Amino acid sequence: MLTFLMTRTADRRARFYRVEVDYNLFGEYSVVREWGRKGRGGQHLLVWFSNLRDACRAAEAWRKRAMRRGYVTEGTSV
């Protein structure tokens, strides 16, 4: 699981973005993305893939996109 955290300087609202790759009982892989304000319920999106390679590629693409938007890995300094 990858978790990213961004703090906006203008309004001081901490936001989170999470990407997770899961395996289900039907032999499929899913990538779960969740985002929103920290401390509140966020939005989420679930996408299924037939193999692990495609799921990991998609998760990595979403991780890179979040990093370009200013998210940093939780626990690192901004």
Side-chain angles (χ1 to χ4, degrees), residues 15-30:
R15 301 190 56 82
F16 71 92
Y17 189 88
R18 182 174 65 94
V19 177
E20 183 176 337
V21 177
D22 289 325
Y23 181 74
N24 67 23
L25 295 174
F26 302 109
E28 299 170 328
Y29 294 89
S30 60

Side-chain angles (χ1 to χ4, degrees), residues 3-54:
T3 303
F4 303 97
L5 174 67
M6 178 182 71
T7 302
R8 289 186 181 174
T9 56
D11 53 8
R12 298 282 189 210
R13 285 189 283 175
R15 301 190 56 82
F16 71 92
Y17 189 88
R18 182 174 65 94
V19 177
E20 183 176 337
V21 177
D22 289 325
Y23 181 74
N24 67 23
L25 295 174
F26 302 109
E28 299 170 328
Y29 294 89
S30 60
V31 176
V32 180
R33 294 187 296 150
E34 187 177 6
W35 62 92
R37 287 183 60 187
K38 197 167 184 181
R40 297 187 181 208
Q43 297 180 346
H44 66 275
L45 182 66
L46 176 69
V47 180
W48 287 277
F49 295 89
S50 61
N51 61 60
L52 181 58
R53 179 180 294 159
D54 291 342

Side-chain angles (χ1 to χ4, degrees), residues 53-66:
R53 179 180 294 159
D54 291 342
C56 288
R57 283 182 181 164
E60 180 64 13
W62 286 317
R63 184 194 69 82
K64 286 180 180 178
R65 183 177 179 193

